[in-house]
Amino acid sequence: MPELPWKPLKLALDPDREIENAFRKLIYSKWGVAESSPWQPDVDVFESGDSYLIEIDLPGVGLDQLHVTVDDHHVTLSGSRQSTEFGRTAQRVWMERRQGQFFRRISLKHAVDPSQMTHECVEGLHHTRLPKVKSA
């Protein structure tokens, strides 16, 4: 019997992504029902000598839709992202961006001054600057 050349199996789906999505649904949702529970957007936090800078990826979420609350050593980011008009009128083929309510609470090493907070959004990337409370 002639030996056939070895050809690796090519899958239409990315198994690593599918496994990651399954675990994310299990961890962050009630028994895999992701639509009913808040999700957590990706966040980067940077610290300089006098402030913290928080960057959060939220395309489709305007400045007025992101709520930032600060209490001493914690920052809470919350809001919601709705489906685009195209997503509401067409059949979904592939969907990776989360929708609905989101919530993220970040602990900071130093106390911050919420009255000096600045916030801007450039192309879906939100920047929040929180000056540290000056110690006496």
Side-chain angles (χ1 to χ4, degrees), residues 88-134:
R88 290 187 205 125
T89 58
Q91 180 181 359
R92 294 180 185 163
V93 176
W94 190 272
M95 186 170 174
E96 293 181 347
R97 292 184 299 155
R98 302 287 304 265
Q99 298 173 13
Q101 298 292 323
F102 61 85
F103 178 85
R104 193 71 191 258
R105 185 170 170 91
I106 302 167
S107 296
L108 303 173
K109 184 177 174 183
H110 303 282
V112 293
D113 183 0
S115 67
Q116 300 297 316
M117 175 178 70
T118 60
H119 185 81
E120 66 178 1
C121 178
V122 178
E123 297 180 356
L125 183 62
H126 290 258
H127 301 271
T128 302
R129 183 171 298 281
L130 297 161
K132 295 177 185 176
V133 172
K134 297 187 186 333

Side-chain angles (χ1 to χ4, degrees), residues 17-102:
R17 179 179 290 166
E18 294 300 317
I19 291 170
E20 182 180 323
N21 287 341
F23 277 109
R24 183 180 295 128
K25 285 180 183 178
L26 184 63
I27 292 169
Y28 293 116
S29 66
K30 296 179 183 178
W31 304 106
V33 183
E35 292 79 21
S36 65
S37 62
W39 55 279
Q40 294 188 337
D42 294 330
V43 174
D44 292 335
V45 180
F46 302 93
E47 180 180 7
S48 67
D50 62 347
S51 65
Y52 289 98
L53 175 65
I54 300 172
E55 289 185 340
I56 182 169
D57 291 328
L58 287 170
V61 176
L63 280 173
D64 58 335
Q65 296 170 301
L66 176 64
H67 308 287
V68 181
T69 55
V70 179
D71 62 55
D72 256 352
H73 295 276
H74 297 93
V75 178
T76 303
L77 307 159
S78 62
S80 70
R81 177 169 53 201
Q82 302 306 318
S83 176
T84 62
E85 284 299 317
F86 185 72
R88 290 187 205 125
T89 58
Q91 180 181 359
R92 294 180 185 163
V93 176
W94 190 272
M95 186 170 174
E96 293 181 347
R97 292 184 299 155
R98 302 287 304 265
Q99 298 173 13
Q101 298 292 323
F102 61 85

